[in-house]
């Protein structure tokens, strides 16, 4: 590195795409740079695969358990501030997740241990900036590939893919830490301070909007759909960027809601996408990641050598045999609280998600079983058999977009339109239609997001974004308005002494410091 943590030498950026090559059928680039690089389509694809490897590493780690590369990214986002009951979890797991549900981030900063280490990984934004820096280089360098090897239309697609990846990273940076260091130039070397997140988000919206139409509407290669960005993926990202900006912009918010409404109209023109009815078979398809409602995710597939670390999936905590562990694992380690889950899914209500995604859904104990993530693979045999999750990490899918649209329309006063979009989701779940008005409608749309997206890592972001984190009806750890405004919703940001020396403009999140 040079004089800032956000430079990545080209030698470090030529990643080994340890898993992506298998489902993308390309050879990763491992040691090319300078004049040896950017010659062919294969060079560009190999470099791009390396970016996806970095993204996967950040949120999922690698399969060998407790090898210093474990992750609990999406489970942590699901459980922070949530109403869950922590049971038996080895090592420091129980203390870690109890602190997380109580928003006791200072405890996590001060403690140590295996699960605590996974939380500290989330407190670092370096790997997000690795993705940003690599995406910026891809955007800059791809034009140098001879057109005889890579047609101009394909160059535009790769550049749009780079724009998607950097803005996806900025979205997570803002949702985790608030203000961000924003740049889009390749080989960035100027130390700079943090830019207000609303400014960053608006720049990302402008950036992604300009590049969106250079992405395909669908890939002819079926292995890419759901795992490489399309225009629908960009629409989903733009919806999230707009709704997060609306939460923090102190000015007029209607422009963000209007943008989401327009994006929803565009999304409806893409005929390849449709929401699937809730059934066991469709659940397997959705969370494998290549169904008609999948917009973007990160692949896990045992058959192709694509594995996550065990703690990276929520089933590790909320499931037991035959969905997780060996035959002796007869109880789940964590369960949703009885009070919370009954408010989401009232007992006796008609909702296919209750019977499809749960066993003993309101037991609040080891008998609780979460079956939403039901793709599995087994190793061993007999009493030594072990079951491991084989679900992909789904970042964007169609019901998420429909419910964001419903939320935006409700804020615009279009209650009929809001109900129509929300009920696209309830109908496929065979659940009661949403019929409310006013604040009751807004609350019910929020609860429908909780019902439909349960376990997918959206919980804490939605809680903060809608400011329901202030209300004990919705969270285990309500915040005061003063603490929310002071940054109690952020993750602590780890900045090392070396990083401070390289960039004196860096500051952490003062609430946790």
């Amino acid at each position: 590195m040079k004089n800032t943590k956000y430079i990545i030498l080209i030698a470090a950026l030529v990643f080994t795409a340890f898993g992506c090559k298998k489902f993308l059928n390309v050879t990763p680039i491992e040691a090319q740079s300078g004049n040896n690089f950017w010659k062919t389509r294969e060079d560009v694809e190999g470099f791009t695969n390396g970016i996806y490897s970095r993204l996967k590493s950040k949120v999922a780690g690698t399969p060998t358990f407790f090898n210093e590369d474990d992750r609990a990214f999406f489970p942590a986002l699901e459980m922070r501030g949530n109403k869950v009951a922590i049971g038996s979890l080895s090592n420091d797991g129980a203390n870690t997740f109890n602190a997380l549900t109580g928003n006791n981030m200072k405890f996590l900063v001060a403690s140590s241990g295996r699960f605590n280490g996974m939380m500290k990984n989330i407190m670092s934004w370096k790997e997000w900036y690795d993705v940003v820096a690599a995406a910026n280089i891809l955007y800059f360098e791809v034009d140098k590939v001879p057109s005889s090897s890579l047609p101009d239309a394909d160059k535009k697609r790769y550049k749009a893919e780079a724009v998607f990846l950097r803005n996806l990273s900025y979205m997570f940076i803002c949702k985790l830490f608030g203000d961000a260091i924003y740049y889009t130039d390749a080989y960035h070397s100027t130390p700079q301070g943090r830019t207000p997140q609303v400014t960053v988000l608006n720049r990302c919206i402008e950036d992604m909007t300009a590049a969106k139409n250079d992405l395909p509407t669908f890939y002819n290669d079926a292995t890419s759909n759901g795992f490489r960005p399309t225009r629908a993926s960009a629409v989903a990202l733009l919806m999230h960027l707009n709704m997060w900006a609306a939460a923090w912009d102190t000015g007029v918010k209607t422009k963000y809601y209007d943008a989401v409404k327009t994006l929803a109209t565009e999304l409806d023109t893409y005929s390849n996408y449709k929401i699937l009815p809730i059934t066991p078979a469709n659940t397997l398809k959705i969370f494998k990641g290549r169904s008609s409602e999948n917009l973007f995710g990160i692949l896990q597939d045992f058959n192709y050598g694509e594995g996550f670390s065990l703690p990276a999936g929520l089933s590790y905590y909320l499931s037991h045999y035959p969905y997780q562990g060996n035959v002796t694992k007869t109880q789940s380690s964590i369960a949703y609280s009885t009070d919370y889950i009954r408010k989401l899914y009232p007992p006796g209500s008609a909702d296919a998600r209750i019977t499809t995604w749960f066993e003993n859904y309101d037991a609040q104990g080891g008998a609780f079983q979460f079956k939403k993530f039901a793709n599995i693979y087994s190793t061993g045999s007999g009493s030594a058999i072990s079951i491991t999750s084989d679900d992909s990490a789904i970042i964007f899918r169609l019901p998420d977009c429909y419910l964001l649209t419903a939320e935006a329309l409700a804020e615009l006063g279009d209650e009929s339109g809001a109900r129509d979009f929300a009920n696209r989701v309830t109908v496929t779940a065979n659940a009661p239609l949403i019929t409310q008005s006013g604040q009751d409608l807004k609350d019910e749309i929020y609860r429908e997001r909780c019902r439909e997206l349960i376990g997918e890592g959206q919980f804490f972001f939605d809680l903060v974004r809608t400011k329901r984190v202030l209300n004990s009806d919705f969270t285990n750890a309500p915040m005061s308005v003063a603490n929310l405004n002071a940054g109690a919703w952020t993750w602590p940001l780890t900045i090392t002494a070396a990083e401070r020396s390289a960039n004196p403009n860096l500051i952490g999140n003062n609430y946790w410091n």
Side-chain angles (χ1 to χ4, degrees):
M1 292 189 182
K2 295 182 182 178
N3 291 327
T4 175
K5 71 178 277 191
Y6 305 108
I7 305 168
I8 300 180
L9 296 177
I10 191 66
L13 278 166
V14 187
F15 311 128
T16 301
F18 47 85
C20 295
K21 64 178 181 178
K22 295 180 181 177
F23 81 95
L24 296 171
N25 296 315
V26 299
T27 301
I29 305 301
E30 297 182 4
Q32 296 188 44
S33 62
N35 292 331
N36 294 323
F37 203 53
W38 309 110
K39 297 280 189 178
T40 67
R41 179 190 299 273
E42 288 73 24
D43 294 341
V44 177
E45 188 69 5
F47 188 87
T48 305
N49 281 343
I51 305 176
Y52 285 101
S53 292
R54 282 297 178 95
L55 179 60
K56 176 183 174 182
S57 177
K58 176 63 178 175
V59 303
T62 53
T64 304
F65 194 37
F66 291 150
N67 69 340
E68 306 299 328
D69 195 29
D70 294 309
R71 298 291 187 270
F73 183 72
F74 290 110
L77 298 180
E78 175 68 16
M79 282 188 256
R80 186 176 175 186
N82 210 337
K83 297 189 176 186
V84 297
I86 312 296
S88 174
L89 197 58
S90 61
N91 303 296
D92 63 313
N95 289 336
T96 294
F97 283 103
N98 274 316
L100 194 63
T101 61
N103 199 42
N104 188 0
M105 308 304 279
K106 290 186 177 181
F107 174 87
L108 298 179
V109 171
S111 302
S112 61
R114 289 171 170 174
F115 285 94
N116 182 269
M118 298 177 216
M119 299 303 111
K120 285 190 168 67
N121 177 272
I122 301 173
M123 298 175 195
S124 170
W125 63 8
K126 179 185 180 301
E127 289 165 294
W128 294 115
Y129 278 105
D130 288 348
V131 173
V132 169
N136 291 346
I137 289 173
L138 171 62
Y139 187 94
F140 176 76
E141 296 284 358
V142 71
D143 282 332
K144 298 180 181 180
V145 179
S147 295
S148 58
S149 297
L150 190 68
D152 289 346
D154 288 342
K155 292 179 183 178
K156 286 184 177 180
R157 177 178 64 80
Y158 277 110
K159 291 173 77 171
E161 189 166 10
V163 171
F164 176 87
L165 287 167
R166 75 181 173 207
N167 288 318
L168 180 73
S169 296
Y170 279 127
M171 180 198 76
F172 278 116
I173 290 168
C174 288
K175 286 186 174 185
L176 292 165
F177 304 109
D179 300 346
I181 293 176
Y182 181 82
Y183 66 96
T184 59
D185 54 312
Y187 310 107
H188 182 78
S189 61
T190 304
Q192 61 189 72
R194 295 169 71 174
T195 298
Q197 64 167 330
V198 172
T199 301
V200 172
L201 292 161
N202 277 283
R203 289 175 181 173
C204 290
I205 290 167
E206 181 180 2
D207 190 34
M208 190 72 261
T209 300
K212 172 171 57 66
N213 288 343
D214 290 330
L215 290 167
T217 56
F218 213 68
Y219 289 93
N220 293 326
D221 175 12
T223 63
S224 295
N225 288 307
F227 300 108
R228 299 287 286 264
T230 62
R231 292 182 194 177
S233 311
V235 165
L237 174 58
L238 283 165
M239 283 184 172
H240 275 270
L241 291 168
N242 274 283
M243 294 302 281
W244 193 258
W248 303 106
D249 196 331
T250 57
V252 178
K253 301 177 185 294
T254 54
K255 68 174 183 178
Y256 301 111
Y257 303 136
D258 283 331
V260 171
K261 178 180 178 179
T262 300
L263 288 163
T265 300
E266 177 181 343
L267 187 58
D268 277 346
T269 68
Y270 300 138
S271 59
N272 296 101
Y273 300 97
K274 65 178 181 179
I275 191 170
L276 297 177
I278 300 297
T279 66
N282 283 340
T283 296
L284 291 173
K285 291 178 184 177
I286 292 165
F287 295 102
K288 181 49 64 179
R290 295 195 180 103
S291 78
S292 62
E293 70 173 57
N294 288 104
L295 303 181
F296 187 74
I298 301 171
L299 178 71
Q300 179 174 218
D301 196 320
F302 176 76
N303 291 328
Y304 291 91
E306 298 286 345
F308 294 174
S309 66
L310 287 177
L314 199 70
S315 62
Y316 179 79
Y317 311 91
L318 272 68
S319 300
H320 56 77
Y321 190 85
Y323 294 94
Q324 179 66 43
N326 59 33
V327 293
T328 63
K329 184 175 175 57
T330 58
Q331 295 192 329
S332 299
S333 300
I334 299 176
Y336 290 101
S337 72
T338 299
D339 176 67
Y340 174 72
I341 208 75
R342 285 180 177 174
K343 285 182 179 178
L344 283 188
Y345 311 97
S349 65
D351 193 320
R353 292 169 294 205
I354 299 176
T355 55
T356 304
W357 292 351
F358 300 93
E359 287 177 9
N360 303 312
Y361 85 111
D362 58 354
Q364 192 178 310
F368 170 91
Q369 178 85 287
F370 195 47
K371 302 188 296 181
K372 189 176 188 180
F373 304 123
N375 288 289
I376 59 173
Y377 67 88
S378 62
T379 54
S381 60
S383 61
I385 195 170
S386 184
I387 305 299
T388 303
S389 172
D390 202 30
D391 291 286
S392 298
I394 307 306
I395 296 176
F396 300 133
R397 62 186 182 97
L398 204 54
D400 172 20
C401 293
Y402 289 161
L403 292 169
L404 284 180
T405 303
E407 186 180 326
L409 292 175
E411 293 294 340
L412 289 170
D414 182 1
E415 294 189 343
S416 176
R419 286 189 289 267
D420 286 345
F421 269 93
N423 284 327
R424 293 186 185 189
V425 180
T426 62
V427 165
T428 57
N430 195 30
L433 294 178
I434 291 174
T435 60
Q436 292 87 341
S437 300
Q439 186 59 44
D440 289 341
L441 172 61
K442 295 177 182 179
D443 286 343
E444 193 61 24
I445 291 169
Y446 173 82
R447 290 190 183 95
E448 183 60 21
R449 282 188 64 82
C450 291
R451 286 188 285 264
E452 176 65 24
L453 303 176
I454 190 169
E456 297 181 43
Q458 300 276 6
F459 175 82
F460 190 70
F461 290 154
D462 281 350
L463 192 67
V464 169
R465 178 176 57 78
T466 65
K467 305 302 192 293
R468 287 178 173 83
V469 73
L470 302 173
N471 189 334
S472 61
D473 286 344
F474 298 98
T475 176
N476 186 57
M479 299 175 190
S480 68
V481 173
N483 285 347
L484 176 73
N485 292 336
W489 63 271
T490 64
W491 282 76
L493 176 58
T494 302
I495 302 174
T496 67
E499 290 165 349
R500 290 187 187 277
S501 177
N503 185 353
N505 299 310
L506 281 179
I507 57 172
N509 286 332
N510 291 331
Y511 184 87
W512 299 116
N513 294 341

